[in-house]
Structures are given as C-alpha cells and as structure tokens.
Amino acid sequence: MFNVPHTSLSLCALAVAGLLLSGCSNGQQVKLADAPIPTSRTLATQADPQPAESPSQAALGENTENSLEQVAEAPQSPVDGEEPMEAPQVAEAAEAPVPVTAPRAETSTVVKAVTVTEKPVRKIETTDIVETPERIIERKETVETTERVVDQVQVDEDAGRVVEQVEVIERTERTVDTIEVDKTTGAAVETIVRSEPVKKEVETMTVVVEAASADDAPRDPARLFTGPEQSTPADYRGYGIVAIRADTPPSERQRLNMICEAFVAPLPARPEGENAGMVTVWPVSSTAHADELNAAPRQRICGDAVERYGLSEGRRAIVDTERTGWILDNRGPYLLAWSPPSAKGTAGALVLLVDLSGVTTPEAAQVVMQRWSSDIERNADLWAGKSWDVDLLRPIIASWREQFGARTLMLLGPVGG
C-alpha cells in the first residue's frame, strides 16, 4: 500500500467534486433543450423542419432568448435626481394606406343594340364523273358563301348622337367530295377535303345622327299637366283631355304609363313665334303637383302622372261627352276635345273623340299622339272659328279610319260621324 499524503487526498477530492457538479449542470441544460418553449419560432420550425441543433447550441440559444426577454421586461431604476419615466406606449401597427386612384371618367356612350345575323348568299355545286377500265371516280365540288352582318347602335346621350355601324363579313368555304369505286371488288373509297374558309370584309358603314336627346328637347306647349283649378284654360281655342275611366283596373297601369310616355314624347319643333292655339292636358290631383310634372325631366314624369291622375276631371270629361248620347263603355283611355273650351259640358256641343282602347304597344301610342298633334292640335283651321270645322274634319277622320281602324277618331254631336 502506498502512503498518500493528506494534502494530495484533499486535492483529489476537490477535483472529483468539481467534475460531478459540471456533469449535473450539463444534464439540466440538455433537459431544457429537449422541451422548448412553444414560441412562434418553434412553431414555424415544426411546420417546416430544419436540421436539429446540437443540445449545446439549443441550450445556448434558449438561454440567450430568455436573457433578452428578461432585460426587456426588467424595470429600469430611475437615476438619482430624475423623475421616473413612464414606459413608452407602443403604437398599434396600422395598415398601410391604399393609394387613392383617380376615378375613371364615366362615358355617356351606351350600346343600345347589337344585332348579328348570318345568312347564305350563294352556293355553287359541280359534279364530274370519270370512268376508267378499273375505276369509277365521282368528284363533287361545293363552294358556299355566307355573310355575317354585325349591326351595332350606340347612343351618346351627352352629345345627342346616335351612331350606327354596320359591318358585313363574307365567308367562303370550298368542299371537294371524291368517291372512287373499284370495278373489280366493288369497294368504294370516299375522300372529303375542306379548305379553310376565306373571310373578306365587304362593307363597313357608319351612320351618325345628330339629334338632341329626348330630355333636352323643348316641351311642346300643347301638352300640359294640369290641376283641378286649371282644367279649362280660357285662352285657348281648342281644349283636349286624356280621360281615364275611374274603374280602370291596376293591371292597366303599365299600358297607361306607355300612353303617358307617348303624350310627353318630343314632337317636331314649331315654327318660330308660333304659339299653341289648342292644348291637350293630362289632369292630376293637385295644381302644385302639375307644376312639378311640367318642369320635371321626361323619364321621371309618367310614374307620378299615372299614380296621381285626376280621376274627378277625367270622369267629368267622360260625362260631358256622354251628353251626346254616345256611351264610353270601352276600357279607354280616351282623347276628348272641344272647340272652343267653353263648349265643354253644354248641350249640343261637338266632341272630338279618339278611342285608345286598342293601343297596346309603345309604337302605336307614339304614332297616334303624333298624328293628334299634326292633324288636330296644330291644324288651326279646325278650331279657328266658333266650333270645329266639320268639312275639314271629314277627310281627317277618313284617313284615321284607314290607318287605325273604324271608330278610332270620331266627331260626336248633332252632326255626328
């Protein structure tokens, strides 16, 4: 046995104790690295695995993070002589403002209609048969030409222009069908060859119509909306009224709106200085509302005009007309007119009547209202005297009957017709 001095034994004991303490510390660090704190960095690593760090690197990184967090969270002690500073408030992250783009200029050009039609123009067929000692060859050639017509109508509401562009494209296709029959075997071989269609622009036509829009066109002074106090203007030589029956069902509202739109539709301009000697009115329930309708744009008139129609004035006009003995029992509405206006409601008065019961389309309503303007409202010779000029009315009534049918335009009263 060797004799070890006590000092050497003490030094060895201290070295062994140091090694044991170092081993315990390393074990604790590895354990912490194996159970990482679930931070956003750790979650991202789980979603997208990266190469595993060594235990020592993980422990080092974790300790560094914890140290930085502790430094950030640790309250700072105030310096002697200075007031403690409040922790600065962190502003919430604001979204980056979206750059404002300049609004696009709205165009007033509206495509009203685009019509595309395609029709065959011509078709040429030729057939040739060639016979040889071995075969019979039948060759059939077809050349077919079609036209594709694109008709587009654009309306520029601001400029009052209507532009119609018609484009015609010609398309030609050639087909060759060949059948070869072997006389020995009877076998037949058919070959069909089609060429690529040839397209050729035949015509492009652009038509520009300058015209004021319907809303900008001046109102004809002979068409007015009137309230109860304005029903019989005394400063006219002729007075007409659109009379709607009080028992007209709600299902007729759309047709009445159509007739109203024809009533307010633009008419040919009057010669300069010409005033309306005859007026045709659409009665409404109040004078204030009539003034609003007379000043409102056309597209915003007829809904209110039908909704607020003056039924009392319409009914009174129908009763005054039936004094002639003619009962107005159709669905209407009616155009009724007197000359002079003071004759309305008197015995023996001549009443001009147009029955609109058969008007069912906007086109028909427009035609009737325009004819009423040219033949009646602007025909001063009809109402320039003490009453309607019957001799001038007869050919007009005959013309109306020929165009619109019997009992469309009539003169009721002692002379009838």
Side-chain angles (χ1 to χ4, degrees):
M1 299 289 292
F2 294 96
N3 291 322
V4 180
H6 292 286
T7 305
S8 301
L9 291 174
S10 300
L11 292 175
C12 292
L14 289 174
V16 171
L19 291 174
L20 290 175
L21 290 174
S22 176
C24 293
S25 176
N26 289 339
Q28 187 178 8
Q29 289 179 358
V30 170
K31 185 176 181 180
L32 290 176
D34 290 341
I37 300 174
T39 61
S40 60
R41 182 179 63 81
T42 305
L43 295 177
T45 303
Q46 293 173 354
D48 187 10
Q50 300 293 333
E53 298 177 351
S54 64
S56 59
Q57 291 176 342
L60 179 61
E62 200 69 38
N63 290 336
T64 303
E65 279 190 36
N66 293 338
S67 301
L68 291 175
E69 290 176 359
Q70 291 175 3
V71 172
E73 294 176 359
Q76 297 180 358
S77 59
V79 181
D80 293 341
E82 294 184 1
E83 295 182 358
M85 298 177 61
E86 296 182 357
Q89 297 181 354
V90 180
E92 296 182 357
E95 295 183 359
V98 179
V100 179
T101 57
R104 292 182 301 176
E106 296 184 359
T107 176
S108 62
T109 303
V110 180
V111 178
K112 290 295 184 181
V114 178
T115 305
V116 180
T117 57
E118 190 163 349
K119 60 180 180 179
V121 178
R122 58 185 175 272
K123 185 176 183 180
I124 302 174
E125 295 181 348
T126 57
T127 302
D128 296 325
I129 298 177
V130 178
E131 185 173 357
T132 67
E134 295 83 14
R135 296 183 179 184
I136 299 176
I137 303 174
E138 180 181 353
R139 183 179 183 276
K140 183 178 180 180
E141 182 177 341
T142 303
V143 179
E144 187 173 6
T145 303
T146 59
E147 281 186 355
R148 181 181 175 89
V149 181
V150 181
D151 189 353
Q152 178 171 292
V153 178
Q154 294 182 349
V155 178
D156 189 336
E157 297 176 349
D158 289 345
R161 296 197 314 167
V162 179
V163 179
E164 180 178 10
Q165 182 173 349
V166 181
E167 184 179 7
V168 181
I169 301 174
E170 188 179 89
R171 180 175 182 271
T172 302
E173 186 176 23
R174 179 172 174 266
T175 303
V176 178
D177 187 356
T178 304
I179 300 177
E180 298 185 12
V181 180
D182 191 324
K183 291 183 178 181
T184 305
T185 62
V189 178
E190 182 177 15
T191 304
I192 300 177
V193 178
R194 288 189 176 90
S195 64
E196 289 293 329
V198 179
K199 295 182 180 180
K200 181 176 65 173
E201 186 176 310
V202 177
E203 177 184 7
T204 299
M205 178 180 63
T206 302
V207 180
V208 179
V209 180
E210 299 284 350
S213 65
D215 290 327
D216 295 335
R219 296 280 188 86
D220 191 278
R223 304 286 171 86
L224 293 176
F225 293 93
T226 58
E229 299 83 8
Q230 305 168 324
S231 58
T232 311
D235 52 346
Y236 291 97
R237 293 298 304 162
Y239 169 76
I241 184 173
V242 179
I244 300 175
R245 294 171 57 94
D247 58 353
T248 301
S251 59
E252 289 283 276
R253 185 179 301 274
Q254 183 176 358
R255 196 173 70 90
L256 295 177
N257 191 80
M258 174 191 70
I259 292 173
C260 172
E261 290 177 352
F263 175 81
V264 299
L267 295 169
R270 291 174 177 265
E272 186 176 355
E274 179 184 332
N275 296 322
M278 176 182 172
V279 66
T280 303
V281 305
W282 183 290
V284 292
S285 55
S286 71
T287 301
H289 196 67
D291 293 339
E292 292 178 5
L293 292 176
N294 286 325
R298 283 186 173 87
Q299 74 271 17
R300 292 160 52 185
I301 287 179
C302 288
D304 288 343
V306 173
E307 182 69 25
R308 299 173 181 263
Y309 179 80
L311 288 174
S312 59
E313 293 300 321
R315 176 58 184 164
R316 186 176 296 111
I318 291 175
V319 170
D320 291 342
T321 301
E322 290 180 339
R323 292 176 183 271
T324 62
W326 191 276
I327 304 301
L328 305 184
D329 54 358
N330 287 341
R331 65 173 178 170
Y334 303 95
L335 278 174
L336 308 174
W338 290 262
S339 179
S342 58
K344 182 177 179 293
T346 62
L350 298 179
V351 184
L352 199 60
L353 175 145
V354 176
D355 189 349
L356 301 176
S357 300
V359 175
T360 58
T361 64
E363 293 77 16
Q366 291 272 359
V367 171
V368 170
M369 285 297 179
Q370 289 178 359
R371 283 290 301 272
W372 177 261
S373 173
S374 59
D375 292 351
I376 308 299
E377 289 175 342
R378 302 191 184 191
N379 193 348
D381 293 336
L382 289 179
W383 34 262
K386 296 181 179 181
S387 183
W388 296 112
D389 190 316
V390 178
D391 292 334
L392 290 178
L393 271 174
R394 284 196 175 101
I396 296 175
I397 292 173
S399 175
W400 276 61
R401 288 179 176 177
E402 182 178 353
Q403 180 174 358
F404 304 113
R407 297 178 59 179
T408 303
L409 176 63
M410 295 180 287
L411 182 63
L412 309 180
V415 295

